[in-house]
């Protein structure tokens, strides 16, 4: 039997990945109250290593307190004091033969100051339609601090032994709000033209590269589409990806879509209204009558406006990027069947695929594909895992 392309090795910079399936960053909510990785987090990741994944990308880790997520128990990498706990996790993953890359992030306006203890930061004083808290328009000093924090966080990741870092430049978090005209209305050197909106990312990439050295794998996750007026488009994403490549400091680009206020765009599929009202703040605190009213009148209206789930829903945009750059491309979003994924790689639309929801449900999906036991993921895209991550740790709610 011919070897499936899915199980051939490929590189991200100096790192060889044994197959083309990557675990996409998915906030675990398994860190302790200071953001230190825990044994439970290791056991959760071990499931992916045992299940045959090529590379784990961790859930996002906060680079500074102002960028801490409002979601349950975020991992942090904002202080040297956290390095030993990260090292323990990484050593344990390496001992069982896994590869692990730390996603570093600043949540920007997609959090609450009650969680961060500091004002929210954004390119412009425009609140996110979901969190509804007015952020502070960042000064040049704020921007320099953020750039430095990404560099320091990446240097800590390297010291802890991670195989690389991924910079979170997607999903409406801080760096992606600079890229998007929906959230960036500045008229100084950080806003206006795409070159200006990209400036902070260019600086982050260069600062990270300077601290981690030339051989350390660095990836960036970008949005191809936002579902917002004036928001990022696939065409603009192609230009952004070219700027990433031209900066000469990055080894791969992962392509995704959506923001928190855009609804179930990043994670397409179900609109789990019961889970929203059970687990998600502020909705879970509403009175029974308010919940009933919203479920009857608002939910059906909002549901209709969600883009439908289609297999590999970011692949067409990712293929446009792949055509335009020579860096390896990782495509995430709706990758579900072995046949679809093999074709996407074999036809040169992407180099790797990454999966989030299917692996929460079936961490051993890569091995099942390899053994021919399974042709497609069992995940039904119900999105309860997404919603529950606000107040609970990660798991599949349909199992
Ligand atoms: C529970 C959950 C948590 C997530 N957390 C993150 C995260 O920390 N960083 C990130 O870049 N994407 C995060 N995502 C988005 C996924 O990486 C991915 O882009 C999205 O779920 C679409 O892929 P899928 O169809 O394979 O689930 C999360 C998704 C889920 C389901």
């Amino acid at each position: 039997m011919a070897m499936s392309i899915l199980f051939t090795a490929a590189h991200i910079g100096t790192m060889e990945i044994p197959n083309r399936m990557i675990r996409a960053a998915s906030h675990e909510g398994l860190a302790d109250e200071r953001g230190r990785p825990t044994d439970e987090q290791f056991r959760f990741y071990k499931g992916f290593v045992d299940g045959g994944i090529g590379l784990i990308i961790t859930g996002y880790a906060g680079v500074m307190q102002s960028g801490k997520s409002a979601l349950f128990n975020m991992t942090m990498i904002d202080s040297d004091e956290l390095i030993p706990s990260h090292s323990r996790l990484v050593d344990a993953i390496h001992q069982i033969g896994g590869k692990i890359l730390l996603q570093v992030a600043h949540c920007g306006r997609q959090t609450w100051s009650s969680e961060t203890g500091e004002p929210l930061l954004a390119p412009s004083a425009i609140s996110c339609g979901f969190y509804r808290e007015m952020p502070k328009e960042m000064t040049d000093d704020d921007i320099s601090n953020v750039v430095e924090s990404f560099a320091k966080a990446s240097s800590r990741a390297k010291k802890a032994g991670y195989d690389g870092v991924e910079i979170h430049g997607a999903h409406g978090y801080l760096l992606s709000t600079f890229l998007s005209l929906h959230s960036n209305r500045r008229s100084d050197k950080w806003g206006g033209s795409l070159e200006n909106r990209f400036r902070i990312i260019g600086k982050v990439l260069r600062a990270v590269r300077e601290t981690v050295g030339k051989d350390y794998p660095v990836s960036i996750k970008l949005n191809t589409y936002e579902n917002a007026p004036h928001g990022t488009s696939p065409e603009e994403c192609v230009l952004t990806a070219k700027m990433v490549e031209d900066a000469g400091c990055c080894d791969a680009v992962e392509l995704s879509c959506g923001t928190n206020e855009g609804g179930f765009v990043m994670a397409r599929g179900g609109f789990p209204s019961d889970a929203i009202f059970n687990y998600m703040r502020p909705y879970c605190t509403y009175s029974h009558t308010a919940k009933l009213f919203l479920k009857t009148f608002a939910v059906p209206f909002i549901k209709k406006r969600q883009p439908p789930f289609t297999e590999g829903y970011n692949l067409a945009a990712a293929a446009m990027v792949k055509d335009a750059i020579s860096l390896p491309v990782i495509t995430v979003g709706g990758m579900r069947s072995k046949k679809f994924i093999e074709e996407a790689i074999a036809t040169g639309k992407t180099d790797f695929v990454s999966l989030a929801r299917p692996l929460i449900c079936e961490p051993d999906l890569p091995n099942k594909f390899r053994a021919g036991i399974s042709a497609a993921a069992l995940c039904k895209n119900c999105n309860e895992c997404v919603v529950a991550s606000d107040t609970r740790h990660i798991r599949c709610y349909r199992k």
Side-chain angles (χ1 to χ4, degrees):
M1 199 168 59
M3 166 81 135
S4 162
I5 193 161
L6 199 47
F7 298 101
T8 57
H11 281 80
I12 290 182
T14 55
M15 170 174 46
E16 186 180 90
I17 303 178
N19 64 57
R20 309 301 183 91
M21 289 180 82
I22 295 177
R23 184 272 181 149
S26 312
H27 168 74
E28 294 92 9
L30 290 172
D32 71 10
E33 63 295 337
R34 176 57 187 96
R36 296 181 198 93
T38 57
D39 290 348
E40 220 181 331
Q41 202 160 334
F42 164 69
R43 281 193 290 276
F44 183 68
Y45 291 153
K46 182 175 183 299
F48 302 130
V49 179
D50 294 345
I53 203 72
L55 170 71
I56 296 168
I57 303 180
T58 67
Y60 57 3
V63 298
M64 60 197 293
Q65 279 299 311
S66 66
K68 187 169 182 273
S69 174
L71 301 185
F72 188 68
N73 286 5
M74 184 195 208
T75 305
M76 297 297 289
I77 186 79
D78 61 320
S79 158
D80 288 353
E81 158 226 335
L82 302 173
I83 296 174
S85 54
H86 281 274
S87 293
R88 264 195 302 281
L89 170 77
V90 175
D91 288 350
I93 293 292
H94 286 161
Q95 264 169 29
I96 57 170
K99 287 189 193 299
I100 183 163
L101 194 145
L102 185 75
Q103 188 185 62
V104 288
H106 188 296
C107 288
R109 62 183 199 154
Q110 289 190 159
T111 181
W112 284 301
S113 58
S114 54
E115 302 283 342
T116 65
E118 294 182 27
L120 303 191
L121 297 182
S124 303
I126 304 168
S127 63
C128 153
F130 178 77
Y131 285 96
R132 296 184 181 280
E133 179 175 333
M134 189 56 79
K136 174 189 177 213
E137 177 175 310
M138 289 170 74
T139 62
D140 283 2
D141 281 349
D142 293 328
I143 292 173
S144 300
N145 284 339
V146 163
V147 170
E148 196 185 322
S149 297
F150 271 98
K152 283 188 172 163
S154 304
S155 146
R156 288 180 196 115
K158 188 178 178 194
K159 283 187 189 139
Y162 284 101
D163 297 290
V165 288
E166 176 173 81
I167 294 158
H168 199 342
H171 301 165
Y173 294 108
L174 183 64
L175 297 180
S176 72
T177 52
F178 270 86
L179 281 176
S180 169
L181 280 171
H182 177 68
S183 41
N184 183 348
R185 308 281 168 83
R186 298 174 78 109
S187 51
D188 60 3
K189 64 179 178 185
W190 309 104
S193 66
L194 185 59
E195 283 71 19
N196 283 353
R197 285 178 277 135
F198 178 77
R199 192 177 306 279
I200 185 169
I201 293 186
K203 282 191 178 288
V204 166
L205 287 172
R206 280 188 289 275
V208 167
R209 182 54 76 204
E210 216 164 274
T211 47
V212 298
K214 72 175 175 30
D215 292 333
Y216 193 64
V218 176
S219 170
I220 186 165
K221 191 166 183 174
L222 294 175
N223 263 358
T224 56
Y225 168 69
E226 273 191 330
N227 201 31
H230 315 294
T232 300
S233 63
E235 291 73 21
E236 214 170 54
C237 180
V238 169
L239 299 174
T240 307
K242 279 188 182 167
M243 290 179 191
V244 166
E245 179 160 68
D246 291 347
C249 312
C250 197
D251 300 303
V253 179
E254 184 178 15
L255 296 158
S256 186
C257 66
T259 63
N260 281 1
E261 68 180 10
F264 294 95
V265 177
M266 166 196 92
R268 295 186 193 178
F271 188 99
S273 47
D274 284 338
I276 291 173
F277 290 111
N278 285 338
Y279 304 133
M280 202 174 198
R281 292 161 303 161
Y283 311 109
C284 60
T285 62
Y286 287 4
S287 71
H288 177 71
T289 322
K291 286 180 184 175
L292 197 66
F293 177 81
L294 288 170
K295 271 190 207 174
T296 314
F297 298 105
V299 167
F301 175 74
I302 301 169
K303 256 184 181 175
K304 265 199 211 138
R305 296 173 52 206
Q306 304 301 306
F309 177 93
T310 51
E311 186 155 20
Y313 47 82
N314 292 316
L315 186 64
M320 286 165 59
V321 172
K322 170 94 182 116
D323 266 355
I325 62 172
S326 53
L327 292 175
V329 165
I330 307 165
T331 307
V332 67
M335 294 294 176
R336 298 295 181 266
S337 70
K338 183 179 175 191
K339 188 163 177 280
F340 184 91
I341 295 171
E342 280 174 341
E343 258 173 40
I345 299 168
T347 53
K349 295 192 172 88
T350 190
D351 298 287
F352 296 91
V353 296
S354 59
L355 300 91
R357 291 168 290 172
L359 296 174
I360 300 172
C361 175
E362 280 175 286
D364 58 347
L365 187 62
N367 279 350
K368 285 179 174 170
F369 279 173
R370 189 192 282 264
I373 297 170
S374 173
L378 294 174
C379 174
K380 294 285 175 278
N381 315 308
C382 70
N383 281 336
E384 288 189 35
C385 58
V386 179
V387 166
S389 66
D390 190 34
T391 51
R392 280 158 177 72
H393 66 69
I394 197 164
R395 73 177 178 86
C396 175
Y397 285 77
R398 286 292 166 98
K399 276 213 291 205

